[in-house]
Amino acid sequence: MASCNGKCGDCKLNCNDRKEDFILSPNENSKIKKLIGVVSGKGGVGKSTVTSLLAVASANLGYSTAIMDADITGPSIPQAFGIHENARGTDEGIIPALGSKGIKVMSVNLLLEREDQPVIWRGPVLTGLINQFWQEVIWGDVDYMFVDMPPGTGDVPLTVFQSLPLDGIIIVTTPQDLVTLIVKKAVNMAKMMNVPIIGIIENMSYFICSDCGKRHNIFGESKLESFVKEEGISFLAQIPLNEESRLLVDKGKVELADTRIFEDIIKKLE
């Protein structure tokens, strides 16, 4: 149909284009306007840092913002925001933690007795927790929610793609040839699951020397421009290595970081 938005879970019509899906409804006290997944083909590309900075940029622009930390076995979002207390619950559901700028955060780390307690769970338990974060957390009114997904194409990304009404995903990568090759797997998975690809962010693209002011491509020349043209995907930004941002994330003060590059990305999503 001409008016179809591709989200069969939100539609009551029984048209010929209707696809069987497993989209879940959020908590009845939640209203999320835009739900964006942040994914990577492999670990170590700074996906969680990018997720945190996108959320801070969104908040800086005046939007109500939230992060669902779906990287269950490697949660790092609470640390970036300096959140160390446990989540609270009511009869209506789970209340997310708040960062200093009002960013709502939900992570498995907020449910564990100790932050360093390992999460040694099998796939069905991991995916069940994702559904719990979506259906039982009282998110309230949110303009932008970012879902920080684990790297790769395993059970959790599959659950997010199938169960949550994503408006699209942002793929995070770095310039190495090997990483670009792996990114194709994430791109192909999104296409197979009919999830829109908003664009790609190349993280750690270069480093500006504070002494000489020269640009250094530490991980080699980027091949991403030709890749996105080939795939028909938007190239959202090249993010330089930034020691100040790294230190702020390590100290749990990511909300103090310079987010101007990320604010430009958020404006592209408006």
Side-chain angles (χ1 to χ4, degrees), residues 75-132:
S76 57
I77 297 298
Q79 170 61 36
F81 285 84
I83 298 173
H84 302 288
E85 71 272 12
N86 286 341
R88 297 181 295 112
T90 69
D91 291 338
E92 287 75 30
I94 303 169
I95 300 174
L98 292 177
S100 62
K101 291 180 182 259
I103 297 172
K104 300 172 184 179
V105 174
M106 191 62 219
S107 170
V108 70
N109 260 17
L110 307 183
L111 304 176
L112 302 175
E113 292 183 6
R114 304 190 324 272
E115 290 181 330
D116 61 352
Q117 182 178 337
V119 177
I120 309 174
W121 297 341
R122 293 187 183 276
V125 181
L126 296 175
T127 57
L129 188 61
I130 298 301
N131 295 340
Q132 184 180 10

Side-chain angles (χ1 to χ4, degrees), residues 18-266:
R18 186 174 182 84
K19 303 183 291 292
E20 179 182 3
D21 59 26
F22 306 94
I23 297 297
L24 301 176
S25 298
N27 181 281
E28 62 181 9
N29 296 307
S30 301
K31 184 179 180 182
I32 293 92
K33 293 181 180 177
K34 285 193 177 182
L35 182 65
I36 298 171
V38 185
V39 309
S40 65
K42 66 180 292 295
V45 301
K47 171 185 54 61
S48 295
T49 297
V50 168
T51 303
S52 300
L53 291 168
L54 283 169
V56 175
S58 173
N60 287 343
L61 290 172
Y63 293 110
S64 172
T65 307
I67 300 178
M68 180 195 294
D69 188 356
D71 196 348
I72 306 299
T73 58
S76 57
I77 297 298
Q79 170 61 36
F81 285 84
I83 298 173
H84 302 288
E85 71 272 12
N86 286 341
R88 297 181 295 112
T90 69
D91 291 338
E92 287 75 30
I94 303 169
I95 300 174
L98 292 177
S100 62
K101 291 180 182 259
I103 297 172
K104 300 172 184 179
V105 174
M106 191 62 219
S107 170
V108 70
N109 260 17
L110 307 183
L111 304 176
L112 302 175
E113 292 183 6
R114 304 190 324 272
E115 290 181 330
D116 61 352
Q117 182 178 337
V119 177
I120 309 174
W121 297 341
R122 293 187 183 276
V125 181
L126 296 175
T127 57
L129 188 61
I130 298 301
N131 295 340
Q132 184 180 10
F133 282 176
W134 180 245
Q135 295 189 298
E136 298 185 26
V137 173
I138 304 172
W139 294 105
D141 290 334
V142 174
D143 295 317
Y144 285 98
M145 176 183 287
F146 298 94
V147 183
D148 183 32
M149 290 202 268
T153 56
D155 285 344
V156 171
L158 180 61
T159 296
V160 172
F161 283 4
Q162 285 186 324
S163 301
L164 304 191
L166 290 171
D167 290 285
I169 62 168
I170 292 174
I171 301 173
V172 181
T173 184
T174 51
Q176 299 101 312
D177 288 342
L178 175 61
V179 175
T180 302
L181 181 64
I182 294 173
V183 165
K184 291 184 179 181
K185 294 181 181 293
V187 169
N188 289 334
M189 180 180 184
K191 290 180 177 179
M192 290 174 64
M193 302 297 296
N194 294 316
V195 176
I197 301 172
I198 295 170
I200 294 184
I201 293 175
E202 185 178 78
N203 195 30
M204 309 182 202
S205 293
Y206 57 91
F207 173 72
I208 301 295
C209 178
S210 58
D211 293 327
C212 67
K214 290 183 179 180
R215 171 171 168 160
H216 300 275
N217 298 320
I218 295 176
F219 295 112
E221 293 290 336
S222 173
K223 308 292 193 304
L224 199 56
E225 189 170 351
S226 59
F227 171 73
V228 295
K229 285 183 179 179
E230 177 184 328
E231 296 290 335
I233 301 171
S234 296
F235 195 174
L236 296 176
Q238 288 183 307
I239 310 299
L241 284 162
N242 186 300
E243 184 177 11
E244 181 182 2
S245 294
R246 180 189 63 80
L247 290 173
L248 289 172
V249 169
D250 289 346
K251 293 177 180 178
K253 298 180 179 180
V254 69
E255 287 157 298
L256 299 179
D258 182 349
T259 60
R260 284 174 292 181
I261 294 178
F262 294 92
E263 287 171 24
D264 289 339
I265 296 173
I266 297 298

